[in-house]
Amino acid sequence: MPFSPAIPLTGLAGFRFLEQTQDRQRALFDRSPDLQREIDYFLDKAADITSAEELVGDRRTLAVVLGAFGLDDDINKGAFIRKVLEEGTLDQRAFANRLVEPAYREMSAFLGFGDTGGLLVFENTRLNLVDRFRERQFELAVGEVDLDMRLALNFRREASEIAAGSSTGNTGWLRMLGSPPLRQVLESALFLPSEFALIDLDQQIDEIAGRAERIFGIEDPTDLQDSAVVDAMVDRFLVRQQALNGAVSATTRGSVALSLLLSLIHI
């Protein structure tokens, strides 16, 4: 039976429990026979793969690669993935560079088939990819128990990576808006309505930048390198989601606890 993370509570309290037990739970998860079987297969086969065509032709190896970039659902899009990988990222007109979701560009650059001829032949590339796969698969397992917590873990990791990548100003916000999981956390943490995605993109960026500065003191996406800022955004997201999901009733004592949590994160 696959390992299922233990998360006995919802919302912010549940996330605190997950944080406190994450190292131990990750260790148990990493020893899961099903997970290790797929990793062993990947490590046995990947070194001999020198083209996007070969990778797409090996479904189990491809599943690990896609899983490492949070693209598990694309396993049946062989022709699409091959085009992403074969055109690389160096040419601004390359397919991956024209897609909204930044994970495609990241994967194409990481594997290097269209840019350098392929990097899976290098052990460091394979081991790095396995580490990413383990982390993403743990997040996926968390999401099977509580989707909001998966989104929180993903945001904590990816927002920091975008900030560290010097994605300043509009570029940083665009990268975050281009990733559906990041967008969901960002919009919820900033109390943006569900219709927000329908307005002009420039207006979206202006509104997000304005709210981020007023609420969290973020003057630029690179400020997300500060873990305290990221944690504040994640906390606010989880509290709002708990309220939206009806986990706390306005007619119960839980509403008092929610009000206190909201005040603590400066809503």
Side-chain angles (χ1 to χ4, degrees), residues 107-173:
M107 178 177 65
S108 185
F110 188 93
L111 296 175
F113 290 122
D115 298 332
T116 61
L119 300 175
L120 281 177
V121 295
F122 298 107
E123 183 180 23
N124 284 344
T125 300
R126 299 193 301 273
L127 294 179
N128 191 329
L129 196 146
V130 165
D131 287 342
R132 294 172 62 101
F133 177 69
R134 290 183 191 275
E135 183 174 30
R136 292 276 195 163
Q137 293 305 294
F138 180 75
E139 291 176 9
L140 191 61
V142 168
E144 293 295 323
V145 180
D146 190 305
L147 180 58
D148 289 336
M149 292 189 196
R150 177 189 176 186
L151 291 170
L153 289 174
N154 177 79
F155 184 86
R156 178 178 284 176
R157 173 175 46 76
E158 290 202 17
S160 300
E161 290 175 0
I162 288 175
S166 300
S167 293
T168 61
N170 289 0
T171 301
W173 294 127

Side-chain angles (χ1 to χ4, degrees), residues 5-22 25 138 142 145-146 148-150 152-153 156 234-235 238-239 242 247-248 261:
I7 310 173
L9 301 167
T10 61
L12 190 55
F15 193 68
R16 290 288 181 266
F17 176 87
L18 178 61
E19 288 179 313
Q20 293 167 7
T21 61
Q22 185 170 345
Q25 296 208 56
F138 180 75
V142 168
V145 180
D146 190 305
D148 289 336
M149 292 189 196
R150 177 189 176 186
L153 289 174
R156 178 178 284 176
V234 166
D235 287 356
L238 289 167
V239 171
Q242 187 174 18
V248 180
L261 285 170

Side-chain angles (χ1 to χ4, degrees), residues 215-246:
I215 298 170
F216 299 106
I218 299 173
E219 296 182 357
D220 189 89
T222 55
D223 291 339
L224 292 172
Q225 292 183 75
D226 185 344
S227 61
V229 174
V230 174
D231 288 345
M233 295 186 76
V234 166
D235 287 356
R236 184 181 169 100
F237 161 74
L238 289 167
V239 171
R240 190 185 185 209
Q241 290 301 109
Q242 187 174 18
L244 292 175
N245 292 336

Side-chain angles (χ1 to χ4, degrees), residues 80 247 257:
F80 176 88

Side-chain angles (χ1 to χ4, degrees), residues 41-83:
Y41 179 90
F42 171 80
L43 291 175
D44 182 54
K45 300 292 184 180
D48 296 325
I49 292 178
T50 59
S51 71
E53 181 181 9
E54 291 175 1
L55 176 60
V56 171
D58 187 334
R59 186 179 179 88
R60 288 179 68 182
T61 300
L62 178 63
V64 173
V65 171
L66 293 175
F69 294 91
L71 298 171
D72 307 72
D73 292 341
D74 286 354
I75 188 64
N76 294 318
K77 300 178 181 178
F80 176 88
I81 295 300
R82 182 174 172 181
K83 184 175 178 63

